[in-house]
């Protein structure tokens, strides 16, 4: 009896994720989620009493995955610093590529419902504080040794996020200027992933 209940809940969550990503919180309808999940509206409310509760569950999971992707990418102290950062850029890009609607979804939710900003901010801050402290120490030590340029870790992270997120948010706008590059999306993303890593490494390498 327990296993079917768990599977049903997961089915609802998967349907809800698509509904929220496509329509945002305001546009999402629990009736549409129930229909996509193949359950009755009453059953959906049995598992998740309100749309808000369901949305928070989806948001928590996405923020957890995003945080995990960053921590995992930069959490390999046995690797040389520049190699760690390359892994970080590429792993973060891969996460966004696997969740291409997420950046636009988060931006839209923050602008449409400002009260969500503090909730998201607190989630990110918990991860960012640990990440920034450790990376800054390594960056400072490397710069002192003359191996890399001196840089603020927070600005570095902002550079990485900006480079990796922009193609997924702006692709519909910039696609006309990409020409043949946009014809094969997978090939374009491979090129962009490599280019982003090189841009960050060039910023760090000592001239």
């Amino acid at each position: 009896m327990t296993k079917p209940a768990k599977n049903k809940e997961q089915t609802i969550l998967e349907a809800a994720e698509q509904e929220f990503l496509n329509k945002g919180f305001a546009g999402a309808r629990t009736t549409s989620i129930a229909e996509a999940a193949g359950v009755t509206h009453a059953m959906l409310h049995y598992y998740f009493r309100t749309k808000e509760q369901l949305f928070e569950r989806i948001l928590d999971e996405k923020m957890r995955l995003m945080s995990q992707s960053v921590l995992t990418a930069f959490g390999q102290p046995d690797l040389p610093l520049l190699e760690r950062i390359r892994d970080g850029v590429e792993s973060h890009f891969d996460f966004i590529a696997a969740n291409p609607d997420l950046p636009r979804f988060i931006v839209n939710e923050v602008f449409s419902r400002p009260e969500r900003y503090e909730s998201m901010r607190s989630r990110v801050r918990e991860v960012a504080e640990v990440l920034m402290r450790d990376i800054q120490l390594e960056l400072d030590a490397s710069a002192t040794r003359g191996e890399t340029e001196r840089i603020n870790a927070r600005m570095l992270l902002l550079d990485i996020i900006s480079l990796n997120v922009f193609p997924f948010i702006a692709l519909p706008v910039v696609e006309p200027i990409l020409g043949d590059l946009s014809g094969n999306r997978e090939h374009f993303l491979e090129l962009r992933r490599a280019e982003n890593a090189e841009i960050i490494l060039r910023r760090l390498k000592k001239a």
Side-chain angles (χ1 to χ4, degrees):
M1 295 296 292
T2 303
K3 189 173 182 180
K6 182 179 180 180
N7 289 341
K8 190 69 69 177
E9 179 178 327
Q10 186 60 39
T11 300
I12 292 171
L13 286 171
E14 290 172 0
E17 179 178 327
Q18 289 306 307
E19 180 78 2
F20 285 128
L21 288 175
N22 292 335
K23 301 178 182 177
F25 178 82
R29 296 289 179 266
T30 52
T31 50
S32 298
I33 295 172
E35 182 178 353
V39 301
T40 64
H41 200 235
M43 183 175 290
L44 183 145
H45 283 290
Y46 169 79
Y47 288 103
F48 302 95
R49 293 186 177 182
T50 64
K51 184 171 81 166
E52 181 81 21
Q53 184 185 62
L54 186 52
F55 178 82
E56 289 294 337
R57 176 75 173 270
I58 299 297
L59 185 61
D60 282 343
E61 176 63 11
K62 287 303 178 184
M63 294 304 292
R64 184 190 67 78
L65 288 173
M66 181 177 290
S67 300
Q68 185 181 34
S69 74
V70 175
L71 285 175
T72 299
F74 290 102
Q76 302 181 55
D78 55 318
L79 293 177
L81 177 61
L82 292 181
E83 189 174 338
R84 288 183 64 187
I85 291 176
R86 179 186 291 277
D87 283 350
V89 175
E90 293 176 346
S91 294
H92 182 257
F93 188 94
D94 290 343
F95 171 79
I96 300 299
N99 298 271
D101 297 322
L102 184 59
R104 189 182 299 110
F105 167 70
I106 291 179
V107 169
N108 288 341
E109 287 303 317
V110 168
F111 278 105
S112 64
R113 305 188 72 194
E115 67 273 16
R116 293 204 179 281
Y117 173 73
E118 188 54 41
S119 174
M120 293 182 186
R121 183 182 178 189
S122 64
R123 288 182 175 95
V124 174
R125 186 191 294 128
E126 293 175 2
V127 175
E129 289 304 319
V130 175
L131 177 67
M132 292 301 94
R133 184 181 65 245
D134 293 346
I135 292 296
Q136 189 66 68
L137 288 173
E138 290 193 58
L139 289 169
D140 290 346
S142 179
T144 299
R145 293 191 301 267
E147 297 170 354
T148 57
E149 296 287 350
R150 197 166 293 277
I151 188 172
N152 185 299
R154 295 177 189 277
M155 296 303 291
L156 176 63
L157 183 60
L158 183 59
D159 289 341
I160 293 171
I161 292 172
S162 299
L163 284 168
N164 283 344
V165 169
F166 181 79
F168 297 95
I169 290 182
L171 187 58
V173 177
V174 301
E175 194 169 14
I177 69 173
L178 294 177
D180 294 340
L181 281 177
S182 63
N184 185 327
R185 182 180 174 85
E186 184 176 340
H187 179 60
F188 166 71
L189 292 180
E190 287 178 1
L191 291 176
R192 192 67 241 168
R193 180 179 187 264
E195 182 70 15
N196 289 355
E198 286 305 315
I199 290 172
I200 293 298
L201 292 180
R202 283 199 295 268
R203 167 64 182 88
L204 287 168
K205 290 175 181 176
K206 200 74 173 178

